Amino acid sequence: MGKVFCAGHYSHGSLDLCTDHYRCLIRSGDGLLHLYGRGSRYADLIFVPDAGFSPEPGPFQLELERKDFCGETDRLKLVCRSEDSVRSEITFFPDRIEFKAERTGGAPFLPEAFYLGRGSKLFSDKLFTPGWPDRTLPLGHDLRRQEPVRLSPGLLSPPPWCFAAQQENGRWMGFELEPEEEEFDFYEFDSVPGRDHAFCWSVGYGGCKAACSRLSAPALVLRFDLEDEYELFRRHAETIVETGRFRPVVRSAPAWHRGVALCGWRFQGSRQDLCTQANYEEHITYFQEQGIDFDTIILDDFWGDPRRHGIWKCDETRWPDLRGFIEKRHAEGRHVLLWVCTYGSGLPEEETLDGNMQNLDSPAWRQRLRDDAHRMLSADPGCYNADGIKYDFTALLPRKPGCCSVCGVGYLRERFRVVYEAMTAVKPEALILCQSVNPYFTPWQSMIRLNDFTALPCHGLEEMRIRSRIAQASGYGLPVDPDHVSFGAFSYRGGYDFFREMESLGIVSLYLNREDLADPEFREILRALVRRNLLRHRS
């Protein structure tokens, strides 16, 4: 793994470090860390080991213990002290630098953000963010240094807490958060740019966390000498395992998880009244007549009562025999997923939080979840015997401080866990389709959904390439559902290449309606794609 080569010069309080990936120079006892990527002539980053609860730099002290630093070591740790009872450690490893800050005491306060590396300077002018771009932009993963990166739950819930900057030598450096088990009480990870290359990092709590005296922020990890912006996500997923901060789950999945999926969202026209058993049967017949077969069908939103999204039970006026529909698909060798979401509408007040969120502390809600899982997935009489769920709107979380024993992304993580465990307790091979590419969330999903793309269709293929590369680097081998270049109605003539390339992005996932299949060229692309990937007759 390499070594850290270091030399201390106590007469003027300086320290030099060198590894195979970066150099660090601390000069004149000012505590500034001048960081160079391998081969860089100029510092890519001047890092100030200062932290606190305001973005403005404050007084701090870097403690250089008076001992011989000369020689090589596996790691080197320095201690820093800032105002507001903040103590931090900076640890140099051969491949990375970790900055860990905590508030050790004081009067209780309601944290909005913990600012790390206050007063630092970043000299790169190209940033890469895994957060999905604004829908008004054609592509928005590349930002300038002056544009803040905000990594909060959204279309991804959440994204990886990592972003990259290009070094002076053309290679890349990365900035990431690596929380311990008790540190998932934050909401987002942001960059905070300022004038004249000023830069720092923010762990945002977003009003989720209750007042506290002590607070430990996740480790801020700095990397250098990365081949490209995507290597950051692979190294992040590897390092949180190597450091013991995370233990991935390695599981085998049945072949049908990777088969051709057909989602009903577009052929039900995104409408409540068209999500009916009769319509789904009619469309399945039509697709088969057009040579479009599938392994799994997803019943999308509104198979239940749209006024009661918190009650996972079918609307029998539109689905008079959901069990019969599912058993018919099983007889054909196919599988069925049911769409569910995080809304608490229809739940009793004691089972909800902050308006419309599920109350994870409620024993009644936990029992309801187990009952819902049994009704949806069990083969027992009166149950539906479905094969899994498409779990949507998973970014929603309560923002009222102290309303739940878990908060921030910890709330999302706990909800992922209890839903996954409730479903797989009933049917161990159930497919749990979720929308997080964050490696810390992988134990509680069977497949990563890349989610909707709603900007111009001509940019959809490139956007999904980016999303898929991040998911494949972060997902520990989980299959990827590339979703579509848009969930809205547009001509698929502009999307031919997307479907020609879909196999490299993940599984074959089709959101189609009859108008799409009216295009002969597109229909032939789909037929060939389905033939190559259909698993139903081979399993």
Side-chain angles (χ1 to χ4, degrees):
M1 183 173 178
K3 296 286 186 180
V4 178
F5 297 88
C6 47
H9 307 285
Y10 294 106
S11 58
H12 48 86
S14 299
L15 184 66
D16 297 352
L17 300 101
C18 182
T19 78
D20 290 340
H21 298 282
Y22 66 88
R23 289 183 298 137
C24 177
L25 307 179
I26 304 177
R27 286 287 178 264
S28 303
D30 57 10
L32 303 182
L33 282 65
H34 297 251
L35 292 158
Y36 300 74
R38 184 175 61 175
S40 295
R41 297 175 54 199
Y42 306 103
D44 297 297
L45 173 69
I46 297 179
F47 184 78
V48 179
D50 174 36
F53 298 97
S54 161
E56 297 302 319
F60 75 97
Q61 181 180 4
L62 176 62
E63 299 178 1
L64 293 176
E65 296 182 15
R66 299 192 62 82
K67 66 177 184 179
D68 186 4
F69 279 127
C70 294
E72 64 179 37
T73 180
D74 292 329
R75 68 190 66 182
L76 177 66
K77 181 180 293 185
L78 302 176
V79 176
C80 310
R81 299 188 186 277
S82 306
E83 58 186 356
D84 296 329
S85 302
V86 174
R87 179 186 184 276
S88 54
E89 295 178 347
I90 185 164
T91 306
F92 301 89
F93 294 90
D95 63 335
R96 67 192 186 280
I97 300 170
E98 292 189 6
F99 182 67
K100 191 77 178 69
E102 62 178 342
R103 186 187 195 232
T104 57
F109 76 118
L110 191 67
E112 282 294 324
F114 206 154
Y115 295 92
L116 310 177
R118 300 185 303 185
S120 300
K121 289 184 179 291
L122 177 66
F123 298 101
S124 170
D125 198 40
K126 183 177 181 180
L127 304 181
F128 177 87
T129 170
W132 291 174
D134 187 292
R135 66 172 56 196
T136 62
L137 301 176
L139 288 174
H141 291 271
D142 292 323
L143 304 175
R144 297 174 300 160
R145 179 194 57 79
Q146 298 90 342
E147 298 176 86
V149 175
R150 290 191 172 93
L151 297 176
S152 58
L155 283 179
L156 288 185
S157 46
W161 301 303
C162 314
F163 63 96
Q166 195 162 37
Q167 296 171 196
E168 181 267 338
N169 63 3
R171 294 176 74 83
W172 289 79
M173 53 186 164
F175 314 115
E176 65 191 70
L177 285 189
E178 293 189 5
E180 304 278 0
E181 186 61 35
E182 66 279 4
E183 294 173 340
F184 288 93
D185 49 1
F186 66 97
Y187 176 70
E188 62 187 346
F189 176 44
D190 303 335
S191 72
V192 185
R195 299 180 60 185
D196 300 324
H197 299 280
F199 203 81
C200 71
W201 297 260
S202 168
V203 180
Y205 293 87
C208 298
K209 185 173 175 59
C212 58
S213 297
R214 303 173 64 90
L215 181 63
S216 177
L220 171 66
V221 177
L222 314 177
R223 297 186 190 276
F224 298 85
D225 196 34
L226 300 172
E227 182 177 348
D228 59 30
E229 54 271 58
Y230 298 99
E231 187 182 353
L232 171 63
F233 305 104
R234 179 180 61 81
R235 290 295 301 126
H236 172 62
E238 291 172 350
T239 303
I240 59 177
V241 176
E242 293 167 0
T243 58
R245 292 181 171 129
F246 174 69
R247 179 178 295 177
V249 174
V250 179
R251 65 172 76 93
S252 60
W256 68 268
H257 281 202
R258 297 177 183 268
V260 176
L262 179 65
C263 181
W265 182 245
R266 292 197 73 224
F267 65 70
Q268 71 183 52
S270 312
R271 290 166 51 182
Q272 301 176 20
D273 59 325
L274 295 183
C275 182
T276 68
Q277 185 168 342
N279 270 353
Y280 269 71
E281 289 283 13
E282 181 182 341
H283 282 289
I284 288 171
T285 300
Y286 179 79
F287 289 132
Q288 288 184 278
E289 291 172 348
Q290 299 300 313
I292 309 302
D293 207 345
F294 61 91
D295 296 290
T296 300
I297 189 163
I298 302 172
L299 308 192
D300 217 285
D301 194 3
F302 310 130
W303 65 272
D305 185 342
R307 299 163 300 178
R308 305 170 73 213
H309 272 118
I311 311 296
W312 297 350
K313 189 174 184 179
C314 81
D315 183 343
E316 294 182 357
T317 62
R318 287 179 287 118
W319 289 87
D321 187 11
L322 179 56
R323 175 65 178 263
F325 175 90
I326 292 173
E327 295 297 356
K328 185 177 180 180
R329 304 288 85 78
H330 288 171
E332 296 163 350
R334 299 186 173 100
H335 297 81
V336 180
L337 304 187
L338 300 176
W339 181 95
V340 295
C341 77
T342 59
Y343 291 155
S345 53
L347 294 176
E349 184 177 351
E350 65 270 19
E351 296 181 33
T352 61
L353 289 173
D354 198 12
N356 199 29
M357 300 295 101
Q358 295 150 336
N359 185 355
L360 304 188
D361 289 341
S362 166
W365 180 80
R366 298 249 180 166
Q367 183 59 51
R368 180 185 299 277
L369 173 61
R370 291 189 290 269
D371 293 343
D372 287 345
H374 180 261
R375 179 173 55 252
M376 290 192 294
L377 304 189
S378 173
D380 289 347
C383 300
Y384 306 147
N385 199 21
D387 302 290
I389 61 171
K390 174 185 176 181
Y391 196 28
D392 211 350
F393 300 124
T394 50
L396 300 176
L397 78 169
R399 302 293 289 272
K400 184 177 179 181
C403 67
C404 187
S405 60
V406 284
C407 63
V409 295
Y411 174 90
L412 301 184
R413 193 164 172 256
E414 177 66 3
R415 189 173 59 196
F416 266 67
R417 184 187 69 81
V418 296
V419 169
Y420 179 89
E421 291 181 355
M423 297 296 164
T424 54
V426 178
K427 187 164 285 186
E429 292 187 345
L431 196 163
I432 313 300
L433 174 58
C434 300
Q435 52 210 45
S436 175
V437 300
N438 190 300
Y440 283 97
F441 283 65
T442 54
W444 304 295
Q445 52 187 355
S446 312
M447 184 180 291
I448 298 170
R449 176 183 167 219
L450 299 185
N451 220 320
D452 304 320
F453 176 69
T454 57
L456 296 177
C458 58
H459 300 295
L461 174 57
E462 179 61 23
E463 171 63 22
M464 291 305 180
R465 284 172 178 160
I466 293 170
R467 297 188 190 187
S468 181
R469 289 189 69 178
I470 296 170
Q472 292 181 39
S474 304
Y476 301 111
L478 285 179
V480 173
D481 175 354
D483 208 302
H484 260 213
V485 290
S486 174
F487 67 78
F490 71 90
S491 169
Y492 274 94
R493 290 201 60 81
Y496 283 178
D497 288 342
F498 173 79
F499 289 93
R500 290 189 177 106
E501 197 171 314
M502 182 177 275
E503 291 156 296
S504 69
L505 305 177
I507 69 161
V508 174
S509 175
L510 304 177
Y511 288 61
L512 303 172
N513 59 29
R514 295 192 181 196
E515 289 75 13
D516 302 327
L517 301 184
D519 183 328
E521 184 178 354
F522 179 63
R523 188 168 61 243
E524 288 307 311
I525 292 171
L526 288 177
R527 286 171 175 170
L529 181 65
V530 167
R531 281 196 301 269
R532 289 194 302 270
N533 291 274
L534 197 66
L535 297 175
R536 183 167 57 86
H537 299 301
R538 298 199 296 263
S539 60

